[in-house]
Amino acid sequence: MLSLVRRESRSRRRHVAVLAGIAALLVLSNGAVRANDDDDDDDDTKKVLTDPTPAKGWIVTLGGSFQVGPKYDGANSAGPSFMPSLSWRRAGEPAGFSAPDDSFDYAIYDTDRFDVGVVGNYRSGRYSGSSIRLLGMRDVPWAIEAGVFAEYWVIPERLRTRVEVRQGFNGHHGVVADFSADWVERFGAFTFAVGPRASLGSASYMRRNFGVLPGEAALNGTIQAYKPGAGAKSVGLASSLEYAWSPSFSTTLFARYDRLVGDAGNSPLVEQLGQRNQFSVGIGASYSFHVGG
């Protein structure tokens, strides 16, 4: 499951201030050891120390990803999908880490290590016409999910933890909670990340996506009625590898594995008509450019 829009960065004002201070000290020390410097050089140094000019405008990143994954939760067949992406950050702020399966979010409170804010996600539906196995089953339309997120770097720039809690609209009206952790390694132009995933669902969400009504069971003829409860939906692992071809252009390969567990994994929609193991792979690309300032 990929987000429609990815958050590109977190605020790094303190880091920018430190870098500006170091640059100013280097300019000052360089002027002290050069005996032939003139008054103009001294004026330039004073200007750096007393009147720093911050970068202006925004860095906008446009992109998209192509993915092959399950047609719906518990499906035993895969299909392609494409998701566009959009993100932005202030000019001068470094691009932060964001996993391909993060939902779109906006940080309300933002520090070097902790973010909290609002989050949104799109979930594709399940339609009986997509497979003869779903004969008699009601459609589960697409859904928009909105809620809150919190993110904490246990080890700065290395180990990130994240939780999202979202309420569904249209296709389902339940609540979903996703938990993730990512170990991040940077090797030159490469950024590699890997970590576990877990997802919980409310009773309403589980019944809509994994439940079978008596009438549906009778029409289908191959499965029995089933009423799941709230609890764990899946556990899994996600990984990504990004390569920055230039400061403006990058590509990302990503993969995710989920195993449906609990009442979700025991649903006849999964055990008899689908499968517990869910695999997704994809590739994405993004281009960044400066606007304003």
Side-chain angles (χ1 to χ4, degrees), residues 206-207 210-214 217 224-229 262-269:
M206 299 288 276
R207 287 195 299 267
F210 300 101
V212 181
L213 298 175
Q224 69 279 14
Y226 182 72
K227 186 177 181 180
D263 284 3
N266 293 328
S267 168
L269 288 168

Side-chain angles (χ1 to χ4, degrees), residues 176-187:
V176 180
D178 290 336
F179 301 85
S180 64
D182 292 279
W183 183 263
V184 182
E185 288 283 354
R186 291 181 172 85
F187 308 93

Side-chain angles (χ1 to χ4, degrees), residues 4 18 51 63 80 82 87 108 115 119 126 128 141 143 157 189 192 199 202 206 216-218 226 233-234 243 265 271:
L4 179 63
V18 171
D51 186 27
F82 175 80
S87 62
I108 297 174
D115 291 353
V119 67
R126 185 191 74 206
S128 59
E157 304 302 325
F192 173 74
S199 184
S202 68
M206 299 288 276
E216 294 175 312
Y226 182 72
K233 185 194 80 168
S234 64
Y243 182 75
E271 285 198 326

Side-chain angles (χ1 to χ4, degrees), residues 41-291:
D41 293 331
D42 293 337
D43 292 341
D44 290 341
T45 301
K46 291 178 182 178
K47 186 176 181 180
V48 170
L49 291 173
T50 60
D51 186 27
T53 302
K56 296 180 180 180
W58 298 84
I59 301 298
V60 177
T61 301
L62 298 176
S65 61
F66 176 81
Q67 177 185 7
V68 177
K71 291 183 177 180
Y72 57 88
D73 280 348
N76 65 350
S77 58
S81 62
F82 175 80
M83 283 292 181
S85 65
L86 167 67
S87 62
W88 59 90
R89 67 182 189 273
R90 291 188 181 277
E93 290 183 356
F97 171 78
S98 182
D101 55 350
D102 287 352
S103 298
F104 163 65
D105 59 41
Y106 181 79
I108 297 174
Y109 178 74
D110 182 3
T111 71
D112 288 346
R113 299 179 65 173
F114 180 71
D115 291 353
V116 63
V118 294
V119 67
N121 188 50
Y122 169 82
R123 187 181 296 272
S124 59
R126 185 191 74 206
Y127 300 93
S128 59
S130 65
S131 172
I132 189 62
R133 295 188 175 202
L134 296 176
L135 177 67
M137 300 300 300
R138 56 183 168 163
D139 290 342
V140 180
W142 57 267
I144 297 295
E145 298 172 345
V148 296
F149 85 97
E151 182 177 298
Y152 179 68
W153 287 85
V154 180
I155 303 175
E157 304 302 325
R158 285 296 182 90
L159 178 58
R160 185 196 73 156
T161 57
R162 180 181 174 94
V163 59
E164 299 182 9
V165 180
R166 306 182 305 271
Q167 168 72 52
F169 300 92
N170 190 53
H172 76 86
H173 298 280
V175 177
V176 180
D178 290 336
F179 301 85
S180 64
D182 292 279
W183 183 263
V184 182
E185 288 283 354
R186 291 181 172 85
F187 308 93
F190 289 95
T191 299
F192 173 74
V194 63
R197 301 290 189 265
S199 184
L200 310 178
S202 68
S204 175
Y205 172 84
M206 299 288 276
R207 287 195 299 267
R208 193 74 172 98
N209 288 273
F210 300 101
V212 181
L213 298 175
E216 294 175 312
L219 288 172
N220 184 271
T222 63
I223 58 177
Q224 69 279 14
Y226 182 72
K227 186 177 181 180
K233 185 194 80 168
S234 64
V235 294
L237 186 73
S239 180
S240 64
L241 179 64
E242 179 184 24
Y243 182 75
W245 299 89
S246 71
S248 299
F249 180 69
S250 66
T251 54
T252 304
L253 297 174
F254 55 90
R256 176 166 171 165
Y257 164 74
D258 290 290
R259 181 170 176 81
L260 297 175
V261 297
D263 284 3
N266 293 328
S267 168
L269 288 168
V270 176
E271 285 198 326
Q272 295 172 243
L273 305 184
Q275 63 180 16
R276 287 174 176 255
N277 298 317
Q278 307 279 280
F279 297 91
S280 301
V281 295
I283 183 171
S286 63
Y287 179 76
S288 300
F289 56 92
H290 181 266
V291 295

Side-chain angles (χ1 to χ4, degrees), residues 25-47:
L25 291 175
L26 289 174
V27 172
L28 182 61
S29 61
N30 187 52
V33 298
R34 293 175 57 191
N36 294 327
D37 282 348
D38 54 22
D39 291 340
D40 290 339
D41 293 331
D42 293 337
D43 292 341
D44 290 341
T45 301
K46 291 178 182 178
K47 186 176 181 180

